[in-house]
Amino acid sequence: MSKTGERTRSLTRAAATLLVAAAAYEATARSGLFPPALLPTLPAIARTLVATTLDGTMPLHALHTLYRVAVGLALAVALGLPLGIAMGRVAAVEGFVLPLASALMPIPSLAWVPVFILWFGLGDTVSILIVFYAALFPMLLNAWSGVRAVNPLWLRAAAAMGANGRALFWKVIVPGASPFIIAGLRQALLRAFIAVIGAEMIAASDWGLGWVIFDAKEFLQADVMLAALIVIGAIGFALERLAFGAIERATVVRWGMVQPVKD
Amino acid sequence: MSELAAATALRSTERVNARLRGAVRTAFPFVVVGAAWEAVAHAGLFPPRLFPPLETVAAALARLTANGILLHHAAETVLRLIVGFALAAVVGVALGIVMGRSRRAEDIALPLVSIGAPIPGLAYAPLFLLWFGTGNLPAILLVAFVSAFPIVFNTWTGVKAVKSVWVRSAQAMGADRARLFRLVILPGALPYILTGLRLGLAQAWRILVGVEMLAAVPWGLGWLIFGAREFLATDVMLAGIVVIAVIGLALEKLVFRRLEEFTVVRWGMMA
């Protein structure tokens, strides 16, 4: 009884917190202490969100952002995953790539935005490259540590049972490294999403959620900004919870590499 | 005796040799990439203003360092980072501990923190600029806000992860609340808290450069890079990026490794 009782109480309290926070915000917004352009009421934000969704602009902005994330992330995986695995298997590759990666990694991806704007002009290329830069290092380093973390006993056992190089790679090393690789992918996606918003703000194109927020500032449209923030939060939440939960269940949990998360 | 001295000398030269070999091995990839950069820059494929050779970047770095401009930019950036991060550390650790110890506080704070966390920090930047104007205030507040999330989450997890056996045995031995907190909960949660602080600092560092570009601050490395774009001064931008890399590397290697060695490793909480 106590377990479910506690759980209901937690849920009630959580709901109460959110309601109180919303009411406090609404009261502040309506009190007239701040101009409504800076602090719009909740119904105004909801109206803006519905209106921009219905006329198709908000979904289109979201699609542009997701497209940039997808392309940049795909490039990062295409380079980072094989390179990371090669680093884990071949000492010479590790010796060459690791110092470069350690030197480049502490540079925030956004620092490259002005340079990339000069090189490639405004638009999609800059955002995609920034996403690529942000996503590359988590992918690379996780693939590398994943391959190195494969239990050497498994390798020797497989080799003793006559596995050739290819079987060893596909049947032992890749599944063995997969929890790290999935974790790297998740980290890379998170970084990519953070980077794309910043890149869109600075490398102002004409579509994208980051651009909407920044552009709305010029016109003091706080309702548009908050509506776009809600969309960004929803996408971030969906990517994190739904996409990765599904990928994990289909791979590492099914292979018995990690325990499913109990709720 | 002389044999021993000779052996020691031999071993020390061996060690020097090994270190030298390591340094050469680390430098090798940079030499290769640098040579490739030079080749492309001198080939004339791209205008030198946009793709300056390394000696131009080095000259810009030396020039800006000599006249103190770079130092001023870097100092402002680091100052913002320290103030913002300190704010986040104090508030974040306090909130995390309260959430970990009190069920009621957890129920109240967790929904709010969980809603704010998945939104990329920079997305809040225009809102902060709108509310707090431009300049230092929104920049520092945003850095603090963004880096507080990992600190809160990790502190909360750390406090909850303290073994209940430790807590109960301390209580059985008559520890009061203050001693329980100082001698059991804080050391027990510290590895998590340090992880949170490290993640928070990394987050703060990643976002600060972007914030400096957006917030129109008069000084700061982000602003230096962004401002240089107007004059097509790619050499200045790359010099700024070099400084950013050095600071980032120093934060990771010096600050946190030291902090860990002095606390959790010494207490035997972590190897």
Side-chain angles (χ1 to χ4, degrees):
Chain A
M1 166 257 143
S2 75
K3 202 83 188 165
T4 47
E6 232 169 60
R7 187 141 188 185
T8 353
R9 204 171 64 216
S10 287
L11 281 179
T12 343
R13 275 197 196 142
T17 310
L18 294 181
L19 276 180
V20 169
Y25 177 87
E26 188 71 16
T28 319
R30 284 184 190 279
S31 68
L33 286 175
F34 304 100
L38 296 189
L39 210 62
T41 59
L42 293 176
I45 298 170
R47 262 200 306 280
T48 307
L49 184 59
V50 171
T52 49
T53 308
L54 287 184
D55 71 9
T57 49
M58 197 60 91
L60 213 54
H61 284 303
L63 277 179
H64 271 85
T65 299
L66 286 176
Y67 161 74
R68 289 172 189 138
V69 170
V71 176
L73 191 64
L75 288 174
V77 173
L79 178 65
L81 189 56
L83 196 57
I85 291 175
M87 278 167 74
R89 298 292 297 166
V90 187
V93 178
E94 183 180 358
F96 190 84
V97 177
L98 198 58
L100 290 176
S102 319
L104 289 177
M105 209 168 27
I107 304 175
S109 52
L110 288 176
W112 292 104
V113 174
V115 181
F116 286 178
I117 291 178
L118 277 190
W119 283 352
F120 306 105
L122 295 173
D124 271 355
T125 319
V126 174
S127 303
I128 288 173
L129 283 175
I130 294 298
V131 168
F132 167 72
Y133 188 88
L136 179 64
F137 295 108
M139 198 64 246
L140 185 74
L141 294 181
N142 276 284
W144 171 60
S145 3
V147 170
R148 294 198 332 162
V150 171
N151 193 337
L153 209 61
W154 298 348
L155 292 179
R156 269 184 286 155
M161 287 186 276
N164 58 5
R166 179 176 297 187
L168 202 65
F169 182 77
W170 288 111
K171 297 267 162 73
V172 182
I173 293 172
V174 168
S178 58
F180 284 82
I181 293 175
I182 302 267
L185 206 58
R186 170 177 256 165
Q187 243 176 56
L189 179 67
L190 233 61
R191 291 268 183 90
F193 195 55
I194 293 171
V196 78
I197 301 293
E200 284 176 349
M201 283 185 185
I202 303 167
S205 36
D206 43 4
W207 289 99
L209 292 169
W211 182 80
V212 175
I213 296 186
F214 199 66
D215 188 56
K217 187 183 75 105
E218 306 285 306
F219 303 101
L220 293 181
Q221 292 169 318
D223 53 338
V224 177
M225 287 163 70
L226 288 164
L229 264 181
I230 293 172
V231 176
I232 290 174
I235 293 176
F237 185 80
L239 289 177
E240 168 70 19
R241 288 292 161 88
L242 307 180
F244 271 93
I247 291 178
E248 276 187 353
R249 275 193 300 278
T251 55
V252 284
V253 174
R254 223 181 74 186
W255 299 339
M257 299 295 305
V258 295
Q259 295 301 312
V261 183
K262 286 191 205 81
D263 228 350
Chain B
M1 194 65 204
S2 69
E3 252 172 51
L4 185 65
T8 325
L10 194 67
R11 195 181 297 162
S12 75
T13 47
E14 249 170 39
R15 200 174 302 152
V16 168
N17 276 343
R19 188 168 290 177
L20 208 65
R21 260 203 306 278
V24 168
R25 213 173 292 150
T26 311
F28 174 68
F30 294 100
V31 172
V32 172
V33 172
W37 180 287
E38 281 293 275
V40 175
H42 284 291
L45 293 173
F46 307 105
R49 285 213 73 101
L50 294 186
F51 204 94
L54 292 177
E55 59 268 19
T56 315
V57 177
L61 192 61
R63 193 180 70 236
L64 292 173
T65 312
N67 62 18
I69 290 179
L70 204 54
L71 196 68
H72 191 171
H73 281 296
E76 293 263 331
T77 297
V78 171
L79 199 67
R80 266 182 216 118
L81 184 73
I82 291 173
V83 175
F85 177 68
L87 210 62
V90 171
V91 176
V93 170
L95 183 60
I97 288 177
V98 172
M99 279 167 67
R101 293 299 291 162
S102 146
R103 188 73 200 229
R104 186 188 298 262
E106 182 182 344
D107 288 339
I108 290 173
L110 197 58
L112 296 176
V113 177
S114 313
I115 286 180
I119 300 178
L122 220 55
Y124 295 106
L127 207 61
F128 275 59
L129 293 178
L130 205 58
W131 285 347
F132 304 109
T134 51
N136 268 325
L137 183 67
I140 289 173
L141 283 179
L142 188 67
V143 167
F145 182 73
V146 170
S147 58
F149 283 105
I151 299 176
V152 171
F153 268 119
N154 279 281
T155 307
W156 169 62
T157 316
V159 171
K160 297 202 86 166
V162 172
K163 287 197 183 109
S164 53
V165 181
W166 296 352
V167 175
R168 268 181 288 155
S169 46
Q171 276 167 340
M173 288 187 273
D176 54 35
R177 282 182 72 100
R179 288 170 65 87
L180 182 73
F181 178 75
R182 198 163 48 86
L183 296 177
V184 180
I185 293 172
L186 204 58
L190 203 61
Y192 289 83
I193 296 178
L194 285 183
T195 306
L197 290 176
R198 170 181 261 170
L199 288 175
L201 187 63
Q203 200 114 298
W205 178 239
R206 268 200 296 277
I207 196 168
L208 178 57
V209 173
V211 172
E212 285 181 342
M213 291 181 192
L214 297 170
V217 289
W219 291 92
L221 291 169
W223 175 244
L224 170 75
I225 299 176
F226 196 58
R229 190 182 56 119
E230 308 279 309
F231 308 102
L232 294 182
T234 317
D235 51 345
V236 174
M237 289 178 170
L238 292 171
I241 288 180
V242 169
V243 177
I244 286 177
V246 170
I247 295 176
L249 215 58
L251 285 178
E252 177 62 28
K253 291 274 145 93
L254 301 179
V255 179
F256 269 95
R257 203 157 288 175
R258 287 282 149 75
L259 200 63
E260 265 182 7
E261 274 164 21
F262 275 112
T263 54
V264 283
V265 174
R266 232 177 69 184
W267 299 343
M269 301 290 305
M270 258 161 73

